[in-house]
Amino acid sequence: MDAWPVHTFTTWEDFQEGQVLLIDKPREWTSFDVVNKVRYAIRKGGGFRKIKVGHAGTLDPLATGVLVVCTGRMTKRINELTAEDKAYDGHITFGSTTDSHDLETAPQASGDASGLTRADLDEAVATLTGNIQQIPPRFSAKKINGQKAYIAARKGKDIQMRVAEVTVKRFDITDWTSPVMGFDILCSKGTYIRALARDAGKATGVGAHLSALRRTASGDFRLEDCLSLDAFLSQLEALPAPAPKTD
């Protein structure tokens, strides 16, 4: 992490030179919402006509945790940061499914989870560890025929998602209190945790959905290194006034 300019800003101009900002994304904010908020605050506070800001890896609206945001010249390295492995913890609830595979859509009963044992879960998780073929959720930003899949899905269109190969390096069960399983996952970029929840439900035969998700790491960046959005905005307010613009 030391090789990156993480929260090293002391002047407004530092954001143009390039910063890596680690934000603990709030629940119910999209990643794009956070980028817009950061861009607006920097542009307004620094008196810039424009400032480049982007993120390195989308988090779903209901997820929280590590969102890597780049500014200025660091936006040229977003692809490099996006390629890093990601770590997550959260909960999968068995016995009910949703169209989005998480709580963005309403749960529907799909099976009886009362008979599931820890051995059943261990077996299901084992099938979802290593190099696996995964079908992304229909409610995702994957583009199908030039359109984001979730737009078509919300219109009720029948869309075919392409299978992708992803790597799940770690899928540990951290708790089991029926019907909710706690987990800790380390995976490659492009892995949908919602899809792992869906497929764990299929493997057990009772269905499942993702009921909580937090990204705990993105590459070497950890949750404990993150700022809340409010804390970041407070740091901006403490910066000295920008240098006067000269023609």
Side-chain angles (χ1 to χ4, degrees), residues 178-200:
S178 182
V180 180
M181 183 188 86
F183 64 80
D184 174 44
I185 287 172
L186 177 66
C187 57
S188 64
K189 73 167 186 176
T191 305
Y192 284 90
I193 310 301
R194 287 181 287 145
L196 291 177
R198 172 201 65 201
D199 294 341

Side-chain angles (χ1 to χ4, degrees), residues 11-18 46 48 242-243 245:
T11 69
W12 292 101
E13 288 71 24
D14 289 335
F15 293 108
Q16 288 182 314
E17 290 300 312
F48 303 122
K245 298 293 187 294

Side-chain angles (χ1 to χ4, degrees), residues 51 57 89 102 104 106 125 197 217:
I51 180 80
D89 64 26
D102 66 4
E104 280 201 71
V125 163

Side-chain angles (χ1 to χ4, degrees), residues 197-233:
R198 172 201 65 201
D199 294 341
K202 288 181 179 179
T204 58
V206 301
H209 67 273
L210 183 67
S211 46
L213 184 65
R214 175 175 59 176
R215 183 186 284 162
T216 56
S218 179
D220 291 333
F221 303 139
R222 301 286 184 264
L223 186 58
E224 54 266 29
D225 303 317
C226 292
L227 295 172
S228 70
L229 193 52
D230 285 343
F232 169 70
L233 295 175

Side-chain angles (χ1 to χ4, degrees), residues 138-140 147-157 159:
R138 293 186 306 118
F139 285 80
S140 69
Q147 185 180 51
K148 291 181 179 179
Y150 71 83
I151 295 175
R154 286 171 181 166
K155 292 179 179 178
K157 294 182 179 179
I159 52 177

